[in-house]
């Protein structure tokens, strides 16, 4: 038994409509303590303060239950990131801060999403479903609004293919955030800003027809 999960309990509400949310809360607690593979339906039910039978009224199996928790984590993570970046002016600064935000994913219990995706990719994909399986598509979709705004401001080339450029930006930022190197400290926002301005922004300003 994993004690952090076993000893936790989600506050019990009175309305039936709250049970589903309590079960998702409990699933997050257990996944944070044990990961996807080791989390069991019985433990989630215990942490939620309900019976297994009551759990199965809301979720037919473990994959569906943990998938609901992962989808909620996914939505919360991107929502928090958007709230932060929408306060920042300039695509270059947004990307630098976005990389720094991604670096905190492993330190923030609320951003359990990234840890699960990286450490248990097969289990993550099975639970998450097609909507949130791919990190690159997720990030490309996330960055598309910022590239559109930058194109409208004239900060990048007016003929930029947003879908293509967003995927390229996603791949670059994943590398900058997760792959160690000798010349860049990915925790240093100023250093990240220099890299983005020196290499990423010129690529986005280049005529895509060239």
């Amino acid at each position: 038994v994993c004690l952090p999960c076993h000893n936790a309990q989600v506050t019990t509400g009175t309305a039936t409509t709250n049970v589903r949310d309590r079960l998702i809360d409990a699933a997050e607690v257990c996944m944070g303590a044990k990961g996807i593979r080791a989390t069991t339906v019985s433990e989630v039910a215990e942490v939620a303060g309900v019976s297994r039978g009551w759990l199965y009224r809301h979720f037919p199996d473990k994959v569906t239950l943990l998938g609901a928790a992962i989808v909620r984590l996914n939505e919360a993570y991107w929502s928090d990131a958007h709230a932060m970046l929408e306060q920042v002016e300039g695509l270059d600064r947004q990307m630098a801060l976005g990389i720094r935000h991604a670096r905190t994913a492993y330190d923030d219990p609320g951003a359990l999403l990234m840890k699960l995706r990286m450490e248990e990719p097969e289990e993550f994909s099975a639970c998450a479903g097609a909507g949130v399986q791919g990190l690159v598509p997720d990030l490309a979709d996330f960055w598309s609004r910022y590239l559109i705004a930058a194109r409208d401001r004239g900060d990048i080339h007016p003929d930029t293919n947003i879908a293509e450029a967003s995927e390229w930006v996603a791949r670059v930022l994943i590398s900058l955030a997760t792959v160690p190197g000798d010349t860049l400290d990915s925790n240093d926002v100023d250093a990240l800003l220099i890299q983005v301005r020196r290499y990423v922004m010129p690529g986005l300003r280049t005529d895509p027809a060239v």
Side-chain angles (χ1 to χ4, degrees):
V1 173
C2 179
L3 293 178
C5 173
H6 184 70
N7 292 336
Q9 188 164 38
V10 175
T11 301
T12 302
T14 56
T16 301
T17 52
N18 291 333
V19 173
R20 187 177 189 279
D21 288 336
R22 294 212 317 275
L23 288 166
I24 294 175
D25 290 341
E28 287 185 21
V29 170
C30 290
M31 286 194 296
K34 305 183 68 172
I36 296 171
R37 192 180 304 110
T39 291
T40 68
V41 168
S42 295
E43 287 170 338
V44 173
E46 181 178 352
V47 172
V50 303
S51 68
R52 285 186 60 180
W54 197 249
L55 182 152
Y56 284 124
R57 291 189 180 189
H58 295 270
F59 299 99
D61 50 42
K62 170 182 167 177
V63 168
T64 305
L65 169 60
L66 300 192
I70 287 171
V71 167
R72 193 174 72 175
L73 282 168
N74 188 68
E75 292 171 350
Y77 182 79
W78 298 125
S79 178
D80 289 346
H82 278 309
M84 177 188 71
L85 295 186
E86 285 169 0
Q87 305 301 313
V88 178
E89 292 186 6
L91 180 62
D92 53 354
R93 292 185 179 278
Q94 288 169 335
M95 286 193 285
L97 286 174
I99 295 166
R100 181 65 187 89
H101 180 66
R103 296 281 296 170
T104 69
Y106 285 94
D107 302 325
D108 180 1
L112 171 63
L113 180 74
M114 300 293 283
K115 180 175 184 290
L116 295 174
R117 192 197 300 265
M118 298 298 291
E119 293 186 357
E120 299 182 85
E122 293 182 5
E123 291 80 2
F124 181 92
S125 293
C127 290
V132 294
Q133 280 184 14
L135 180 56
V136 170
D138 275 357
L139 275 175
D141 181 65
F142 175 88
W143 283 103
S144 62
R145 71 171 69 175
Y146 301 103
L147 267 67
I148 290 170
R151 184 184 61 185
D152 292 345
R153 289 193 305 266
D155 292 345
I156 64 178
H157 198 280
D159 295 332
T160 297
N161 180 313
I162 296 299
E164 182 179 76
S166 296
E167 181 169 318
W168 176 72
V169 165
R171 294 180 184 278
V172 171
L173 300 193
I174 289 170
S175 176
L176 288 173
T178 63
V179 181
D182 295 330
T183 63
L184 175 66
D185 178 0
S186 295
N187 293 309
D188 185 337
V189 174
D190 290 334
L192 289 168
L193 186 57
I194 290 171
Q195 287 271 319
V196 168
R197 287 175 172 171
R198 187 174 289 165
Y199 302 111
V200 182
M201 292 304 296
L204 292 169
R205 293 184 180 122
T206 299
D207 185 345
V210 173

